[in-house]
Amino acid sequence: MQTNLADWARVSELGQEADEILRRCVHCGFCQATCPTYQVLGDELDSPRGRIYLIKELLEGQEPTQATQMHLDRCLTCRNCETTCPSGVEYGHLIDIGRKIVEEKVPRPLSQRLQRALLRKGLNSPLFAPAYKVGQAVRGLLPASLQKKVVEARPTGVRPDTRHHVKQVLLLTGCVQPTMMPTIDSATIRVLDRLGIGTQVAQGGGCCGALNFHLDDQDAARVQMRLNIDAWLPLIEAGKIEAIVMNASGCGAMVVEYAHHLRHDAAYAAKAQKVVALVRDIAEVVAPHAQALAAQLDTTRLPKRPAFHPPCTLQHWQGLRPLSEDLFVKLGLALQPFTETHLCCGSAGAYSVLQPEISTALRDRKLSQLNAAKPDLVLSSNIGCIGHLQSGTEIAVRHWIEVVDAALL
Ligand code: SF4
Ligand code: SF4
Protein backbone atom coordinates (compact mmCIF):
# COMPACT_ATOMS: atom_id res chain seq x y z
CA MET A 1 0.00 0.00 0.00
CA GLN A 2 1.43 3.40 -0.97
CA THR A 3 1.29 6.09 1.68
CA ASN A 4 1.81 9.82 1.71
CA LEU A 5 2.18 10.75 5.35
CA ALA A 6 1.27 14.15 6.76
CA ASP A 7 4.25 16.13 8.06
CA TRP A 8 3.38 15.49 11.72
CA ALA A 9 3.21 11.73 11.09
CA ARG A 10 6.43 11.65 9.06
CA VAL A 11 8.45 13.07 11.95
CA SER A 12 6.83 11.02 14.74
CA GLU A 13 8.05 7.58 15.85
CA LEU A 14 4.51 6.22 15.92
CA GLY A 15 3.81 7.61 12.44
CA GLN A 16 6.91 5.94 11.03
CA GLU A 17 6.11 2.61 12.68
CA ALA A 18 2.54 2.72 11.40
CA ASP A 19 3.81 3.57 7.91
CA GLU A 20 6.03 0.48 7.85
CA ILE A 21 3.06 -1.70 8.79
CA LEU A 22 0.72 -0.04 6.28
CA ARG A 23 3.16 -0.54 3.41
CA ARG A 24 2.98 -4.32 3.81
CA CYS A 25 -0.77 -4.42 3.15
CA VAL A 26 -1.60 -5.40 -0.45
CA HIS A 27 -5.39 -4.86 -0.14
CA CYS A 28 -6.06 -8.53 -0.90
CA GLY A 29 -8.93 -8.73 1.59
CA PHE A 30 -8.14 -12.27 2.77
CA CYS A 31 -8.47 -10.95 6.33
CA GLN A 32 -12.13 -10.03 5.78
CA ALA A 33 -13.14 -13.69 5.85
CA THR A 34 -11.89 -14.26 9.39
CA CYS A 35 -12.79 -10.93 11.01
CA PRO A 36 -15.59 -11.42 13.57
CA THR A 37 -16.89 -7.86 13.39
CA TYR A 38 -17.08 -8.01 9.60
CA GLN A 39 -18.89 -11.34 9.87
CA VAL A 40 -21.46 -9.82 12.23
CA LEU A 41 -21.83 -6.30 10.82
CA GLY A 42 -20.94 -6.76 7.13
CA ASP A 43 -19.52 -3.21 6.85
CA GLU A 44 -16.12 -2.77 5.17
CA LEU A 45 -15.23 -0.16 7.80
CA ASP A 46 -15.73 -2.83 10.48
CA SER A 47 -13.21 -5.09 8.80
CA PRO A 48 -9.40 -5.14 9.10
CA ARG A 49 -8.91 -3.71 5.61
CA GLY A 50 -11.42 -0.94 6.30
CA ARG A 51 -9.77 -0.04 9.59
CA ILE A 52 -6.36 -0.08 7.92
CA TYR A 53 -7.68 2.48 5.41
CA LEU A 54 -9.06 4.63 8.22
CA ILE A 55 -5.66 4.64 9.95
CA LYS A 56 -3.89 5.38 6.65
CA GLU A 57 -6.17 8.38 6.04
CA LEU A 58 -5.51 9.55 9.58
CA LEU A 59 -1.74 9.44 9.05
CA GLU A 60 -2.11 11.21 5.73
CA GLY A 61 -3.71 14.16 7.48
CA GLN A 62 -7.46 13.50 7.37
CA GLU A 63 -9.11 14.59 10.61
CA PRO A 64 -10.67 11.62 12.43
CA THR A 65 -14.30 11.81 13.49
CA GLN A 66 -16.46 10.02 16.04
CA ALA A 67 -17.31 7.57 13.25
CA THR A 68 -13.59 6.76 12.85
CA GLN A 69 -13.40 6.19 16.59
CA MET A 70 -16.49 3.98 16.56
CA HIS A 71 -15.08 1.67 13.86
CA LEU A 72 -11.75 1.37 15.71
CA ASP A 73 -13.60 0.80 19.01
CA ARG A 74 -15.58 -2.04 17.47
CA CYS A 75 -12.41 -4.00 16.74
CA LEU A 76 -12.01 -6.81 19.27
CA THR A 77 -8.20 -6.75 18.90
CA CYS A 78 -8.51 -10.50 18.42
CA ARG A 79 -5.75 -10.52 15.76
CA ASN A 80 -7.50 -13.19 13.74
CA CYS A 81 -6.68 -10.96 10.76
CA GLU A 82 -2.97 -11.20 11.56
CA THR A 83 -3.07 -14.98 11.53
CA THR A 84 -4.83 -14.88 8.15
CA CYS A 85 -2.76 -12.17 6.46
CA PRO A 86 -0.32 -13.53 3.86
CA SER A 87 1.74 -10.30 3.91
CA GLY A 88 2.58 -10.25 7.61
CA VAL A 89 0.70 -7.03 8.37
CA GLU A 90 1.05 -6.41 12.11
CA TYR A 91 -2.49 -5.18 12.49
CA GLY A 92 -2.44 -5.42 16.30
CA HIS A 93 0.33 -2.86 16.63
CA LEU A 94 -1.26 -0.68 13.96
CA ILE A 95 -4.61 -0.47 15.72
CA ASP A 96 -2.86 0.45 18.98
CA ILE A 97 -1.21 3.38 17.20
CA GLY A 98 -4.43 4.35 15.42
CA ARG A 99 -6.45 4.29 18.62
CA LYS A 100 -3.90 6.39 20.48
CA ILE A 101 -3.87 9.09 17.81
CA VAL A 102 -7.67 9.14 17.50
CA GLU A 103 -8.02 9.30 21.27
CA GLU A 104 -5.91 12.46 21.32
CA LYS A 105 -7.88 14.10 18.50
CA VAL A 106 -11.49 13.06 19.11
CA PRO A 107 -12.99 13.85 22.53
CA ARG A 108 -15.36 11.13 23.68
CA PRO A 109 -18.85 11.99 24.92
CA LEU A 110 -19.04 12.32 28.72
CA SER A 111 -20.99 9.06 29.12
CA GLN A 112 -18.24 7.07 27.35
CA ARG A 113 -15.48 8.75 29.34
CA LEU A 114 -17.25 7.95 32.58
CA GLN A 115 -17.91 4.34 31.59
CA ARG A 116 -14.29 3.77 30.59
CA ALA A 117 -12.90 5.50 33.70
CA LEU A 118 -15.22 3.45 35.90
CA LEU A 119 -14.03 0.22 34.31
CA ARG A 120 -10.35 1.22 34.55
CA LYS A 121 -10.50 2.40 38.14
CA GLY A 122 -13.14 -0.05 39.36
CA LEU A 123 -11.51 -3.26 38.18
CA ASN A 124 -8.07 -2.09 39.35
CA SER A 125 -9.37 -0.91 42.73
CA PRO A 126 -8.82 -2.68 46.08
CA LEU A 127 -12.57 -2.24 46.57
CA PHE A 128 -13.32 -4.55 43.65
CA ALA A 129 -12.81 -7.75 45.69
CA PRO A 130 -15.14 -6.86 48.62
CA ALA A 131 -17.77 -5.45 46.26
CA TYR A 132 -17.66 -8.57 44.08
CA LYS A 133 -17.93 -10.83 47.13
CA VAL A 134 -21.07 -8.97 48.21
CA GLY A 135 -22.40 -9.53 44.68
CA GLN A 136 -21.68 -13.26 44.97
CA ALA A 137 -23.40 -13.43 48.37
CA VAL A 138 -26.61 -11.90 47.00
CA ARG A 139 -26.26 -13.39 43.52
CA GLY A 140 -29.65 -15.09 43.66
CA LEU A 141 -31.34 -11.75 44.30
CA LEU A 142 -29.68 -9.89 41.43
CA PRO A 143 -31.49 -9.18 38.16
CA ALA A 144 -30.79 -11.89 35.55
CA SER A 145 -28.55 -9.60 33.44
CA LEU A 146 -26.30 -8.82 36.43
CA GLN A 147 -26.42 -12.39 37.73
CA LYS A 148 -24.76 -13.53 34.53
CA LYS A 149 -21.82 -11.20 35.19
CA VAL A 150 -21.21 -12.53 38.72
CA VAL A 151 -19.55 -15.94 38.78
CA GLU A 152 -20.83 -18.32 41.43
CA ALA A 153 -18.29 -18.77 44.26
CA ARG A 154 -16.65 -22.22 44.26
CA PRO A 155 -14.34 -23.75 46.90
CA THR A 156 -10.67 -23.27 46.06
CA GLY A 157 -9.35 -26.18 48.14
CA VAL A 158 -6.02 -26.20 49.96
CA ARG A 159 -3.01 -24.51 48.39
CA PRO A 160 0.09 -26.55 49.27
CA ASP A 161 3.26 -24.94 50.57
CA THR A 162 5.64 -25.47 47.65
CA ARG A 163 8.67 -23.51 48.83
CA HIS A 164 10.72 -26.70 49.23
CA HIS A 165 10.85 -27.41 45.48
CA VAL A 166 14.20 -26.61 43.88
CA LYS A 167 12.44 -25.42 40.73
CA GLN A 168 10.39 -22.28 41.39
CA VAL A 169 8.19 -20.20 39.12
CA LEU A 170 6.39 -16.91 39.52
CA LEU A 171 2.65 -16.85 38.92
CA LEU A 172 0.91 -13.67 37.79
CA THR A 173 -2.57 -13.87 39.25
CA GLY A 174 -3.72 -10.60 37.70
CA CYS A 175 -6.30 -8.05 38.78
CA VAL A 176 -9.71 -9.77 38.72
CA GLN A 177 -8.92 -13.49 38.66
CA PRO A 178 -8.11 -13.89 42.39
CA THR A 179 -11.55 -12.49 43.17
CA MET A 180 -13.67 -13.90 40.35
CA MET A 181 -12.12 -17.34 39.82
CA PRO A 182 -9.52 -18.09 42.52
CA THR A 183 -9.99 -21.79 41.71
CA ILE A 184 -7.79 -21.30 38.61
CA ASP A 185 -4.77 -20.17 40.65
CA SER A 186 -5.26 -22.88 43.29
CA ALA A 187 -5.50 -25.55 40.61
CA THR A 188 -2.35 -24.19 38.92
CA ILE A 189 -0.38 -24.32 42.18
CA ARG A 190 -1.52 -27.90 42.93
CA VAL A 191 -0.78 -29.24 39.45
CA LEU A 192 2.67 -27.60 39.37
CA ASP A 193 3.36 -29.00 42.85
CA ARG A 194 2.72 -32.52 41.51
CA LEU A 195 5.32 -31.82 38.84
CA GLY A 196 7.87 -30.76 41.44
CA ILE A 197 7.53 -27.07 40.67
CA GLY A 198 7.02 -24.49 43.42
CA THR A 199 4.90 -21.41 42.80
CA GLN A 200 5.46 -17.92 44.13
CA VAL A 201 2.62 -15.45 43.65
CA ALA A 202 3.83 -12.35 41.81
CA GLN A 203 3.79 -8.93 43.40
CA GLY A 204 3.96 -5.76 41.33
CA GLY A 205 1.36 -3.63 39.63
CA GLY A 206 -1.40 -6.20 40.23
CA CYS A 207 -2.78 -5.96 36.73
CA CYS A 208 -0.61 -6.79 33.70
CA GLY A 209 -1.69 -3.46 32.21
CA ALA A 210 -4.09 -4.82 29.59
CA LEU A 211 -7.13 -3.22 31.17
CA ASN A 212 -5.74 0.32 31.07
CA PHE A 213 -4.08 -0.25 27.70
CA HIS A 214 -7.31 -1.22 25.96
CA LEU A 215 -9.36 1.43 27.77
CA ASP A 216 -7.58 4.48 26.34
CA ASP A 217 -4.87 4.83 28.97
CA GLN A 218 -1.72 3.41 27.46
CA ASP A 219 0.43 5.58 29.76
CA ALA A 220 -1.17 4.13 32.93
CA ALA A 221 -0.66 0.65 31.46
CA ARG A 222 3.06 1.38 31.03
CA VAL A 223 3.26 2.47 34.68
CA GLN A 224 1.86 -0.96 35.66
CA MET A 225 4.31 -2.70 33.32
CA ARG A 226 7.26 -0.91 34.95
CA LEU A 227 5.98 -1.76 38.44
CA ASN A 228 5.74 -5.42 37.46
CA ILE A 229 9.21 -5.41 35.94
CA ASP A 230 10.64 -3.78 39.08
CA ALA A 231 9.03 -6.49 41.21
CA TRP A 232 9.94 -9.47 39.00
CA LEU A 233 13.39 -8.66 37.67
CA PRO A 234 15.25 -8.97 41.02
CA LEU A 235 13.88 -12.54 41.34
CA ILE A 236 15.08 -13.35 37.83
CA GLU A 237 18.51 -11.82 38.37
CA ALA A 238 18.92 -13.62 41.70
CA GLY A 239 18.14 -16.92 39.94
CA LYS A 240 15.13 -17.50 42.19
CA ILE A 241 12.61 -18.24 39.43
CA GLU A 242 12.82 -20.16 36.17
CA ALA A 243 9.68 -18.84 34.54
CA ILE A 244 6.89 -16.28 34.87
CA VAL A 245 3.73 -18.32 34.47
CA MET A 246 0.50 -17.01 32.99
CA ASN A 247 -2.74 -18.91 33.48
CA ALA A 248 -4.86 -16.27 31.75
CA SER A 249 -3.89 -16.05 28.10
CA GLY A 250 -5.16 -12.44 28.02
CA CYS A 251 -2.51 -11.43 30.57
CA GLY A 252 0.11 -13.61 28.89
CA ALA A 253 -0.50 -11.93 25.55
CA MET A 254 0.07 -8.54 27.18
CA VAL A 255 3.17 -9.47 29.15
CA VAL A 256 4.95 -11.13 26.20
CA GLU A 257 4.72 -7.75 24.48
CA TYR A 258 6.20 -5.68 27.35
CA ALA A 259 9.42 -5.25 25.38
CA HIS A 260 7.43 -3.88 22.45
CA HIS A 261 5.41 -1.48 24.60
CA LEU A 262 8.52 -0.20 26.38
CA ARG A 263 10.74 -0.08 23.28
CA HIS A 264 11.10 3.71 23.50
CA ASP A 265 11.83 3.70 27.23
CA ALA A 266 15.61 3.80 27.62
CA ALA A 267 15.45 2.76 31.28
CA TYR A 268 13.13 -0.23 30.78
CA ALA A 269 13.55 -1.58 27.23
CA ALA A 270 16.35 -4.03 28.13
CA LYS A 271 14.72 -4.96 31.46
CA ALA A 272 11.48 -5.75 29.65
CA GLN A 273 13.33 -8.08 27.28
CA LYS A 274 14.73 -10.05 30.23
CA VAL A 275 11.24 -10.44 31.69
CA VAL A 276 9.65 -11.42 28.38
CA ALA A 277 12.26 -14.12 27.84
CA LEU A 278 10.89 -15.99 30.87
CA VAL A 279 7.14 -15.62 30.25
CA ARG A 280 5.34 -18.93 29.73
CA ASP A 281 1.70 -19.88 29.43
CA ILE A 282 0.79 -22.62 31.92
CA ALA A 283 0.38 -25.04 29.00
CA GLU A 284 4.02 -24.43 28.01
CA VAL A 285 5.17 -25.23 31.54
CA VAL A 286 3.09 -28.41 31.81
CA ALA A 287 3.68 -29.72 28.25
CA PRO A 288 7.20 -31.16 28.84
CA HIS A 289 5.74 -33.14 31.79
CA ALA A 290 2.61 -34.38 29.98
CA GLN A 291 3.44 -38.06 30.40
CA ALA A 292 4.30 -37.74 34.11
CA LEU A 293 1.13 -35.76 34.74
CA ALA A 294 -1.10 -38.15 32.79
CA ALA A 295 0.15 -40.96 35.05
CA GLN A 296 -1.16 -39.03 38.07
CA LEU A 297 -4.70 -38.56 36.72
CA ASP A 298 -7.82 -40.58 37.38
CA THR A 299 -9.14 -40.55 33.83
CA THR A 300 -12.63 -41.55 34.99
CA ARG A 301 -12.86 -38.06 36.52
CA LEU A 302 -12.07 -36.32 33.23
CA PRO A 303 -14.99 -35.10 31.10
CA LYS A 304 -15.98 -37.59 28.39
CA ARG A 305 -16.73 -35.07 25.64
CA PRO A 306 -14.83 -31.84 26.35
CA ALA A 307 -14.65 -29.10 23.72
CA PHE A 308 -11.81 -26.57 23.83
CA HIS A 309 -12.41 -22.92 22.99
CA PRO A 310 -8.96 -21.48 22.21
CA PRO A 311 -8.93 -17.80 23.23
CA CYS A 312 -7.73 -15.35 20.58
CA THR A 313 -4.96 -14.28 22.95
CA LEU A 314 -3.77 -17.89 22.99
CA GLN A 315 -4.17 -18.82 19.32
CA HIS A 316 -3.76 -15.58 17.37
CA TRP A 317 -1.56 -13.54 19.71
CA GLN A 318 0.73 -16.24 21.08
CA GLY A 319 0.40 -19.11 18.60
CA LEU A 320 -0.05 -21.59 21.44
CA ARG A 321 -3.15 -23.41 20.28
CA PRO A 322 -1.36 -26.45 18.74
CA LEU A 323 0.82 -26.90 21.84
CA SER A 324 -2.22 -26.65 24.14
CA GLU A 325 -4.37 -29.08 22.16
CA ASP A 326 -1.52 -31.55 21.87
CA LEU A 327 -1.07 -31.40 25.65
CA PHE A 328 -4.78 -31.97 26.33
CA VAL A 329 -4.85 -35.04 24.12
CA LYS A 330 -1.77 -36.44 25.89
CA LEU A 331 -3.55 -35.89 29.22
CA GLY A 332 -6.47 -37.99 28.03
CA LEU A 333 -8.92 -35.23 27.10
CA ALA A 334 -10.88 -36.37 24.04
CA LEU A 335 -11.45 -32.96 22.43
CA GLN A 336 -14.66 -32.71 20.42
CA PRO A 337 -14.26 -30.88 17.10
CA PHE A 338 -16.50 -27.95 16.18
CA THR A 339 -16.48 -25.28 13.49
CA GLU A 340 -15.31 -21.64 13.50
CA THR A 341 -12.80 -22.34 16.26
CA HIS A 342 -10.70 -19.42 14.97
CA LEU A 343 -13.45 -16.84 15.71
CA CYS A 344 -13.53 -14.68 18.84
CA CYS A 345 -16.21 -15.47 21.46
CA GLY A 346 -16.86 -11.72 21.93
CA SER A 347 -15.33 -11.41 25.39
CA ALA A 348 -12.19 -9.38 24.57
CA GLY A 349 -11.51 -7.75 27.93
CA ALA A 350 -14.01 -5.00 28.61
CA TYR A 351 -15.53 -5.34 25.12
CA SER A 352 -18.57 -7.23 26.42
CA VAL A 353 -19.44 -4.18 28.52
CA LEU A 354 -18.56 -1.56 25.90
CA GLN A 355 -20.05 -3.31 22.84
CA PRO A 356 -22.73 -5.58 24.31
CA GLU A 357 -24.67 -6.24 21.09
CA ILE A 358 -21.69 -7.42 19.02
CA SER A 359 -20.25 -9.25 21.99
CA THR A 360 -23.49 -11.15 22.67
CA ALA A 361 -23.94 -11.98 18.99
CA LEU A 362 -20.44 -13.47 18.88
CA ARG A 363 -20.95 -15.34 22.14
CA ASP A 364 -24.18 -16.91 20.92
CA ARG A 365 -22.59 -17.79 17.58
CA LYS A 366 -19.71 -19.46 19.42
CA LEU A 367 -22.07 -21.32 21.75
CA SER A 368 -24.17 -22.60 18.89
CA GLN A 369 -21.02 -24.02 17.22
CA LEU A 370 -19.95 -25.53 20.53
CA ASN A 371 -23.39 -26.99 21.22
CA ALA A 372 -23.32 -28.79 17.87
CA ALA A 373 -20.40 -30.84 19.25
CA LYS A 374 -22.58 -31.85 22.25
CA PRO A 375 -19.80 -31.31 24.82
CA ASP A 376 -20.24 -32.25 28.47
CA LEU A 377 -17.80 -29.48 29.42
CA VAL A 378 -16.20 -26.50 27.68
CA LEU A 379 -12.51 -25.88 28.33
CA SER A 380 -10.65 -22.64 27.79
CA SER A 381 -7.47 -20.83 28.86
CA ASN A 382 -8.61 -17.34 29.77
CA ILE A 383 -10.85 -16.06 32.54
CA GLY A 384 -12.55 -13.51 30.28
CA CYS A 385 -13.67 -16.09 27.72
CA ILE A 386 -14.69 -18.53 30.46
CA GLY A 387 -16.95 -16.00 32.23
CA HIS A 388 -18.38 -14.69 28.97
CA LEU A 389 -19.27 -18.10 27.55
CA GLN A 390 -20.62 -19.26 30.91
CA SER A 391 -23.05 -16.32 30.92
CA GLY A 392 -24.84 -17.87 27.92
CA THR A 393 -24.90 -21.58 28.65
CA GLU A 394 -25.81 -24.14 31.28
CA ILE A 395 -22.87 -26.34 30.23
CA ALA A 396 -19.97 -25.82 32.65
CA VAL A 397 -17.11 -23.75 31.22
CA ARG A 398 -13.78 -24.21 33.01
CA HIS A 399 -10.12 -23.45 32.70
CA TRP A 400 -8.42 -26.68 31.57
CA ILE A 401 -6.04 -26.58 34.55
CA GLU A 402 -9.05 -26.83 36.92
CA VAL A 403 -10.24 -29.93 35.09
CA VAL A 404 -6.80 -31.55 35.30
CA ASP A 405 -6.52 -30.59 38.98
CA ALA A 406 -9.91 -32.16 39.73
CA ALA A 407 -8.70 -35.46 38.24
CA LEU A 408 -5.43 -35.63 40.23
CA LEU A 409 -5.08 -38.97 42.05
S1 SF4 B 1 -8.37 -7.74 15.34
FE1 SF4 B 1 -10.16 -9.09 15.06
S2 SF4 B 1 -11.95 -7.72 15.09
FE2 SF4 B 1 -10.12 -6.44 14.79
S3 SF4 B 1 -9.94 -6.23 12.57
FE3 SF4 B 1 -8.65 -7.98 13.14
S4 SF4 B 1 -9.98 -9.78 12.92
FE4 SF4 B 1 -11.31 -7.95 12.94
S1 SF4 C 1 -4.93 -9.94 4.46
FE1 SF4 C 1 -3.19 -8.61 5.01
S2 SF4 C 1 -2.48 -7.75 3.05
FE2 SF4 C 1 -4.55 -8.57 2.69
S3 SF4 C 1 -5.94 -6.79 3.06
FE3 SF4 C 1 -5.79 -7.92 4.99
S4 SF4 C 1 -4.11 -6.89 6.07
FE4 SF4 C 1 -3.93 -6.27 3.93
Side-chain angles (χ1 to χ4, degrees), residues 228-279:
N228 285 332
I229 290 171
D230 286 342
W232 306 344
L233 198 56
L235 295 172
I236 297 172
E237 291 182 334
K240 290 190 175 161
I241 53 162
E242 296 186 18
I244 303 170
V245 179
M246 305 287 148
N247 59 11
S249 61
C251 306
M254 188 74 201
V255 180
V256 292
E257 296 199 345
Y258 273 13
H260 170 77
H261 294 308
L262 295 169
R263 64 198 179 283
H264 301 307
D265 183 331
Y268 277 84
K271 292 180 184 179
Q273 280 176 3
K274 285 187 191 167
V275 164
V276 168
L278 283 198
V279 175

Side-chain angles (χ1 to χ4, degrees), residues 88-106:
V89 173
E90 291 182 309
Y91 172 88
H93 293 154
L94 184 67
I95 185 101
D96 287 346
I97 297 171
R99 280 175 170 156
K100 184 161 175 49
I101 297 170
V102 171
E103 203 59 38
E104 284 160 9
K105 292 181 176 248
V106 182

